[in-house]
Amino acid sequence: MEETGKVFIKTFGCQMNVYDSEKIMAYLDDRYIEAASEDEADLILLNTCSVRGKAEQKVFSMIGRFKPLKDLNPELIIAVGGCVAQQEGQGILDRSPLVDLVFGTHNIEDLPDLLDERIRKGKRVCRIIEESDKVTSAQAPSRAVVSKPARLVTIMKGCDNFCAYCIVPFVRGREISRPSVEIISEVESLVENGALEITLLGQNVNSYRDPESGDDFIDLLEKVDSIHGLSRLRFVTSHPKDFSVELINAMASLETVCEHIHLPLQAASDRVLGGMKRSYTLNEYRSKVAALRDAIPDVELTSDIIVGFPGEKRSDFDKTMSFLTEIRYQNVFSFRFSPRPGTAASRLEDSVPERVKKGWLPELQHLQSEITAWKHEDLLGSTLEVLVEGTGKKENGMLEGRTRNNFIVHFPGSEDMIGSLTNVKVNRSGKIHLESEVVK
Ligand code: SAH
Ligand code: SF4
Ligand code: F3S
């Protein structure tokens, strides 16, 4: 056992990275405790995202900001992991002399060794492997974050879809599913430690297939659903092309599966969808949503949209705008197209000028925030069951919870309610969340 230091982890990107950061913490558990801020850290670790150019630039500007800390404490170790590390590898050490250590998305388990190399031998180190058969080691120590009521569990990694714009298959590798016995035992241990809600993670969960038993995603949902003590089950992300009637039926019939689905549309024009290699048409998407709403009347949908894909015209963008009004998503995450190295779309002409993308994006976001606000108004006066997940970020004495169908609700209450299910009555609707009070 070594001397204990303090680690500050900054996580960028998607829930995969959030999960990986928890794993990283677990691997460092006997050597580092969490630092309250970067100023007091002995190890600063950036878990990076490279899905858009902007996300990647953020990493390098952040590293630059650590210079004064490194000047003060030459022993400070700066480590870069995640998707930018996987993509750039040694290039990060070359570009930034402040960085001590780089590790790829398949090398989380190696981190303690790499730290030893840095500390004992004084070498700047980089370890990136291209692929790994392991999703994450089952033997990984259990993740440190105690008694959080809503937890993430990775069921597969990588992606085989190669959507034309997307770097994920390059930085996360091919799709590999994790054996369901491992998944079940991880969920069981989280539930035993107080988790009421589990979100199963994968870039394309619908194509999950147990490498040992051959179970598919629905078999897995059934198994997790039957775990005693679990109240809510979510999963992300579903690719619309693989979102099946069977899955809709399973969502409707399995008690713990929540009435919410994130179903990234990306664009509503078939021409643009074709260019993106998304393998569905707008009508196919539309009829899946209709079937879902038939089966689960109070289901809510969220989505991702890219504006300004190569070749997209105003008339294509207008289709996306009217589809948002038609579908009435609960919320939409929207992004300007950003060409990524190695992807098919990076070889197309980035034909939509940046100023046009910069105009379309707020237009879309404005429309969506109106739709979200209407949905919130519809809930005024109603009583909702929420899982109390934590304290509200800004206001003192406020708790934050989420409904099964993914509405975010704030209400006054004491911290001992965190981790419980409670009923609240909505008394104000906001743009981002609902305000309410606990029903006695
Ligand atoms: N596996 C998920 C998430 C992929 S990344 C899925 O299939 O949806 C999350 C979102 O980032 C994508 O849905 C997409 O909307 C956006 N995105 C990915 N690559 C992008 C790029 N090059 N430019 C802009 N947005 C991008
Ligand atoms: Fe990227 Fe497409 Fe895979 Fe999602 S499904 S991770 S958008 S390639
Ligand atoms: Fe970003 Fe990597 Fe996730 S590129 S979106 S952190 S898989």
Side-chain angles (χ1 to χ4, degrees), residues 159 161-163 165-166 168-169 203 239 266 278:
C159 184
N161 285 319
F162 290 93
C163 301
Y165 49 81
C166 187
V168 170
Q203 296 297 352
H239 194 303
Q266 311 302 357
R278 287 290 284 177

Side-chain angles (χ1 to χ4, degrees), residues 163-354:
C163 301
Y165 49 81
C166 187
I167 200 166
V168 170
F170 301 91
V171 289
R172 291 276 170 169
R174 292 300 74 71
E175 205 169 276
I176 300 169
S177 295
R178 187 178 180 194
S180 63
V181 278
E182 267 185 33
I183 297 168
I184 300 296
S185 88
E186 183 160 343
V187 174
E188 280 172 345
S189 97
L190 292 171
V191 170
E192 272 163 31
N193 283 299
L196 290 182
E197 177 178 307
I198 295 291
T199 301
L200 304 178
L201 296 180
Q203 296 297 352
N204 183 19
V205 291
N206 308 135
S207 58
Y208 173 84
R209 187 156 295 268
D210 189 325
E212 288 163 2
S213 68
D215 278 4
D216 66 11
F217 183 58
I218 293 169
D219 300 323
L220 178 69
L221 279 182
E222 285 168 354
K223 284 185 179 163
V224 179
D225 173 76
S226 67
I227 291 174
H228 185 71
L230 180 71
S231 300
R232 294 178 171 194
L233 180 54
R234 305 182 188 276
F235 51 88
V236 75
T237 302
S238 291
H239 194 303
K241 78 174 160 60
D242 299 320
F243 188 66
S244 63
V245 178
E246 292 76 21
L247 180 56
I248 292 174
N249 293 338
M251 288 178 71
S253 66
L254 296 174
E255 218 170 293
T256 61
V257 177
C258 290
E259 294 74 21
H260 165 239
I261 183 93
H262 184 64
L263 204 58
L265 171 71
Q266 311 302 357
S269 147
D270 285 338
R271 207 174 58 81
V272 175
L273 285 172
M276 289 176 164
K277 303 265 180 298
R278 287 290 284 177
S279 348
Y280 52 83
T281 63
L282 186 68
N283 262 334
E284 285 162 0
Y285 185 102
R286 183 185 267 133
S287 50
K288 287 181 182 186
V289 173
L292 179 69
R293 285 189 164 148
D294 261 353
I296 309 170
D298 61 342
V299 74
E300 288 294 335
L301 285 100
T302 51
S303 202
D304 293 344
I305 302 283
I306 296 175
V307 304
F309 186 77
E312 183 170 5
K313 303 218 165 54
R314 175 72 214 194
S315 54
D316 298 308
F317 175 69
D318 285 339
K319 290 188 177 135
T320 302
M321 292 288 278
S322 53
F323 197 66
L324 293 194
T325 311
E326 177 189 326
I327 292 287
R328 289 171 62 92
Y329 288 109
Q330 180 185 56
N331 201 0
V332 162
F333 303 91
S334 49
F335 315 98
R336 279 184 273 147
F337 169 72
S338 151
R340 305 306 293 132
T343 61
S346 70
R347 295 187 285 277
L348 303 171
E349 187 201 346
D350 189 6
S351 63
V352 184
E354 215 50 31

